Amino acid sequence: MIKLFVGLGNPGPEYEATRHNAGFWWIDALARELKVSLVPERSYHGLVARTSVNGQSVWLLEPQTFMNLSGKSVASLARFFKITPQEILVAHDELDIPPGQSKLKFGGSHAGHNGLRDIHAQLGSADYWRLRIGIGHPGVKAEVVNWVLKKPAPDQRTLIEDSIAHTLKACPALFAGDMEKATQQVHTTKPPRPKPPRPAAAPAPALEGGAAS
């Protein structure tokens, strides 16, 4: 099961509403769902909440180190409570996914994301879960830094918020350690439409008259 939920972002009011803070938005939404409050914990360099789910301790963490030093916060809490990388989920903004969609994945590269890069280095492992929250791409590589540190347009922000609400529905499966079910729930953006009932086969019309001449 996932024991440590991490949201990535930058501390400070000037960054609060920027795309790079989508991971913080996700943890804030999870904290509301679990009815817990994040409080500053200097020993873990972040805002932390601890609660119990199904009799197991669960931690929520928002590193306050700035994005490129996120691993310092994650590793210090994980080491202290003996949480393995496989029991960690990191929620972060993802350029390669459009707003309104999210993906859950295990392991793999950091793909140039500075927060993930530092977590890789500090944990000494890439084997943790990532919840990739789509923020879209500006279309030009040179614009990426500017893009992630800007506020999304209101319609994009709404799409991101909707995506966060959708992914939170996978939390019971994440708490239970049913990662297959959690992945399925995150990746199903629209509920499948019920199939219409099949009409009963109509009797074949009787042929009238004799053979065609």
Side-chain angles (χ1 to χ4, degrees), residues 35-73:
K35 297 179 173 56
V36 295
S37 299
L38 294 146
V39 295
E41 289 279 0
R42 286 180 64 186
S43 31
Y44 310 124
H45 317 283
L47 299 175
V48 181
R50 183 178 185 172
T51 188
S52 183
V53 179
N54 307 332
Q56 283 269 14
S57 284
V58 168
W59 287 263
L60 276 58
L61 171 67
E62 291 180 359
Q64 299 293 292
T65 51
F66 284 96
M67 184 66 86
N68 58 354
L69 296 173
S70 302
K72 181 181 178 183
S73 173

Coordinates of all heavy atoms in Angstrom, one line a residue, residues 35-73:
K35 N -9.7 14.9 6.0 CA -9.9 15.8 7.1 C -8.7 15.9 8.1 O -8.8 15.8 9.3 CB -11.2 15.3 7.9 CG -12.4 15.4 7.1 CD -13.7 14.9 7.8 CE -14.9 15.1 7.1 NZ -15.0 14.5 5.7
V36 N -7.6 16.2 7.4 CA -6.3 16.4 8.2 C -5.7 17.8 7.8 O -6.1 18.3 6.7 CB -5.3 15.3 8.0 CG1 -5.8 14.0 8.5 CG2 -4.9 15.2 6.5
S37 N -4.9 18.3 8.6 CA -4.2 19.6 8.3 C -2.7 19.4 8.2 O -2.1 18.6 9.1 CB -4.5 20.6 9.4 OG -5.9 20.9 9.5
L38 N -2.1 20.0 7.2 CA -0.7 19.9 7.1 C 0.0 20.9 8.0 O -0.5 22.1 8.0 CB -0.3 20.1 5.6 CG -0.8 19.1 4.6 CD1 -1.1 19.7 3.3 CD2 0.3 18.0 4.4
V39 N 1.0 20.5 8.7 CA 1.7 21.5 9.6 C 3.2 21.4 9.3 O 3.7 20.4 8.9 CB 1.4 21.1 11.1 CG1 0.0 21.3 11.4 CG2 1.9 19.7 11.4
P40 N 3.9 22.5 9.5 CA 5.3 22.6 9.3 C 6.1 21.6 10.2 O 5.9 21.6 11.4 CB 5.8 24.0 9.5 CG 4.5 24.8 9.6 CD 3.4 23.8 10.0
E41 N 7.0 20.8 9.6 CA 7.8 19.9 10.3 C 9.3 20.1 9.9 O 9.7 19.7 8.8 CB 7.5 18.4 10.1 CG 6.2 18.0 10.7 CD 6.3 17.6 12.2 OE1 7.4 17.7 12.7 OE2 5.2 17.2 12.7
R42 N 10.0 20.8 10.7 CA 11.4 21.2 10.3 C 12.3 20.0 10.0 O 13.1 20.1 9.1 CB 12.0 22.1 11.3 CG 11.4 23.5 11.3 CD 12.0 24.4 12.3 NE 13.5 24.7 12.1 CZ 14.3 25.3 12.9 NH1 13.8 25.8 14.0 NH2 15.5 25.5 12.6
S43 N 12.1 19.0 10.8 CA 13.0 17.8 10.6 C 12.8 17.1 9.2 O 13.7 16.5 8.7 CB 12.8 16.8 11.7 OG 11.5 16.8 12.2
Y44 N 11.6 17.4 8.6 CA 11.4 16.8 7.2 C 11.3 17.9 6.2 O 10.9 17.6 5.0 CB 10.1 15.9 7.3 CG 10.0 15.0 8.4 CD1 9.0 15.0 9.3 CD2 11.1 14.1 8.6 CE1 9.0 14.1 10.4 CE2 11.1 13.2 9.7 CZ 10.0 13.2 10.6 OH 10.1 12.4 11.7
H45 N 11.7 19.1 6.5 CA 11.8 20.2 5.5 C 10.5 20.3 4.7 O 10.5 20.5 3.5 CB 12.9 20.0 4.6 CG 14.2 19.5 5.2 ND1 15.0 20.3 5.9 CD2 14.7 18.2 5.3 CE1 16.0 19.6 6.4 NE2 15.9 18.4 6.1
G46 N 9.3 20.2 5.4 CA 8.1 20.3 4.7 C 6.9 20.5 5.5 O 6.9 20.5 6.8
L47 N 5.7 20.5 4.9 CA 4.4 20.5 5.6 C 4.0 19.0 5.6 O 4.0 18.4 4.6 CB 3.4 21.3 4.8 CG 3.7 22.8 4.7 CD1 2.6 23.5 3.8 CD2 3.8 23.5 6.0
V48 N 3.6 18.6 6.8 CA 3.3 17.1 7.0 C 2.0 16.9 7.7 O 1.6 17.7 8.6 CB 4.4 16.5 7.8 CG1 4.2 15.0 8.0 CG2 5.8 16.7 7.1
A49 N 1.3 15.9 7.3 CA 0.1 15.4 8.0 C 0.2 13.9 8.2 O 0.8 13.2 7.3 CB -1.2 15.8 7.3
R50 N -0.2 13.4 9.3 CA -0.2 11.9 9.5 C -1.5 11.5 10.0 O -2.2 12.2 10.8 CB 0.9 11.6 10.6 CG 1.0 10.1 10.9 CD 2.1 9.9 11.9 NE 2.3 8.5 12.1 CZ 3.3 8.0 12.9 NH1 4.1 8.8 13.5 NH2 3.5 6.7 13.0
T51 N -2.0 10.4 9.4 CA -3.3 9.9 9.8 C -3.3 8.4 9.7 O -2.3 7.8 9.3 CB -4.4 10.5 8.8 OG1 -5.7 10.1 9.4 CG2 -4.3 10.0 7.4
S52 N -4.4 7.8 10.0 CA -4.5 6.3 10.0 C -5.6 5.9 9.1 O -6.7 6.5 9.1 CB -4.8 5.8 11.4 OG -4.8 4.4 11.4
V53 N -5.3 5.0 8.1 CA -6.3 4.5 7.2 C -6.2 3.0 7.2 O -5.1 2.4 7.1 CB -5.9 5.0 5.7 CG1 -7.0 4.4 4.8 CG2 -5.9 6.5 5.7
N54 N -7.3 2.4 7.5 CA -7.4 0.9 7.6 C -6.4 0.4 8.6 O -5.7 -0.6 8.4 CB -7.1 0.2 6.3 CG -8.1 0.7 5.2 OD1 -9.2 1.1 5.4 ND2 -7.6 0.7 3.9
G55 N -6.2 1.2 9.7 CA -5.3 0.7 10.8 C -3.8 0.9 10.5 O -2.9 0.5 11.2
Q56 N -3.5 1.6 9.3 CA -2.1 1.8 8.9 C -1.8 3.3 8.9 O -2.7 4.1 8.5 CB -1.9 1.3 7.5 CG -1.7 -0.2 7.3 CD -0.3 -0.6 7.4 OE1 0.6 0.2 7.9 NE2 0.0 -1.9 7.1
S57 N -0.6 3.7 9.3 CA -0.2 5.1 9.3 C 0.0 5.5 7.8 O 0.6 4.8 7.0 CB 1.1 5.3 10.1 OG 0.8 5.3 11.5
V58 N -0.5 6.7 7.5 CA -0.3 7.3 6.2 C 0.2 8.7 6.4 O -0.3 9.5 7.2 CB -1.7 7.3 5.4 CG1 -1.6 8.1 4.2 CG2 -2.0 5.8 5.0
W59 N 1.2 9.1 5.6 CA 1.7 10.5 5.7 C 1.4 11.3 4.4 O 1.5 10.7 3.3 CB 3.2 10.5 5.8 CG 3.7 10.0 7.2 CD1 4.1 10.9 8.2 CD2 3.9 8.7 7.7 NE1 4.4 10.1 9.3 CE2 4.3 8.8 9.0 CE3 3.6 7.4 7.1 CZ2 4.6 7.7 9.8 CZ3 3.9 6.3 7.9 CH2 4.3 6.4 9.2
L60 N 1.2 12.6 4.5 CA 1.0 13.5 3.4 C 2.2 14.5 3.6 O 2.4 15.0 4.7 CB -0.3 14.2 3.5 CG -1.6 13.5 2.9 CD1 -1.8 12.2 3.6 CD2 -2.8 14.5 3.1
L61 N 2.8 14.8 2.5 CA 4.0 15.7 2.5 C 4.0 16.7 1.4 O 3.9 16.3 0.2 CB 5.3 14.8 2.5 CG 6.6 15.5 2.4 CD1 6.9 16.4 3.6 CD2 7.7 14.5 2.2
E62 N 4.2 17.9 1.7 CA 4.5 19.0 0.7 C 5.9 19.5 1.0 O 6.1 20.3 2.0 CB 3.5 20.1 0.7 CG 2.1 19.6 0.2 CD 1.1 20.8 0.3 OE1 1.4 21.9 0.7 OE2 -0.1 20.5 -0.1
P63 N 7.0 19.1 0.3 CA 8.3 19.7 0.6 C 8.3 21.2 0.5 O 7.7 21.8 -0.4 CB 9.2 19.0 -0.5 CG 8.5 17.8 -0.9 CD 7.0 18.1 -0.8
Q64 N 9.0 21.9 1.4 CA 9.1 23.3 1.4 C 10.5 23.8 1.0 O 11.0 24.8 1.4 CB 8.7 23.9 2.7 CG 7.3 23.6 3.1 CD 6.2 24.2 2.2 OE1 6.1 25.4 2.2 NE2 5.5 23.4 1.4
T65 N 11.2 22.9 0.2 CA 12.6 23.1 -0.1 C 12.8 23.8 -1.4 O 14.0 24.0 -1.8 CB 13.3 21.8 -0.2 OG1 12.5 21.0 -1.1 CG2 13.4 21.0 1.1
F66 N 11.8 24.1 -2.1 CA 11.8 24.5 -3.5 C 12.0 23.2 -4.3 O 12.6 22.2 -3.9 CB 12.8 25.6 -3.9 CG 12.4 26.9 -3.5 CD1 12.8 27.5 -2.3 CD2 11.5 27.7 -4.2 CE1 12.3 28.7 -1.8 CE2 11.0 28.9 -3.8 CZ 11.4 29.4 -2.6
M67 N 11.4 23.2 -5.5 CA 11.2 22.0 -6.4 C 12.5 21.2 -6.5 O 12.5 20.0 -6.3 CB 10.7 22.5 -7.7 CG 10.4 21.4 -8.7 SD 9.0 20.3 -8.1 CE 7.6 21.2 -8.7
N68 N 13.6 21.9 -6.9 CA 14.8 21.1 -7.2 C 15.5 20.4 -6.0 O 16.5 19.8 -6.2 CB 15.8 21.9 -8.0 CG 16.3 23.2 -7.3 OD1 15.8 23.5 -6.2 ND2 17.2 23.9 -7.9
L69 N 15.0 20.7 -4.8 CA 15.6 20.0 -3.6 C 14.5 19.1 -2.9 O 14.7 18.8 -1.8 CB 16.1 21.0 -2.6 CG 17.3 21.8 -3.1 CD1 17.7 22.9 -2.1 CD2 18.5 21.0 -3.4
S70 N 13.5 18.8 -3.7 CA 12.3 18.0 -3.1 C 12.8 16.7 -2.4 O 12.2 16.3 -1.4 CB 11.3 17.7 -4.2 OG 10.8 18.9 -4.7
G71 N 13.8 16.1 -3.0 CA 14.2 14.8 -2.5 C 14.8 14.8 -1.1 O 14.6 13.8 -0.4
K72 N 15.3 15.9 -0.7 CA 15.8 16.1 0.7 C 14.7 15.8 1.7 O 14.9 15.2 2.7 CB 16.4 17.5 0.8 CG 17.0 17.8 2.2 CD 17.5 19.3 2.1 CE 18.1 19.7 3.5 NZ 18.5 21.1 3.5
S73 N 13.5 16.4 1.4 CA 12.4 16.3 2.3 C 11.8 14.9 2.2 O 11.6 14.3 3.3 CB 11.3 17.3 1.8 OG 10.1 17.2 2.5

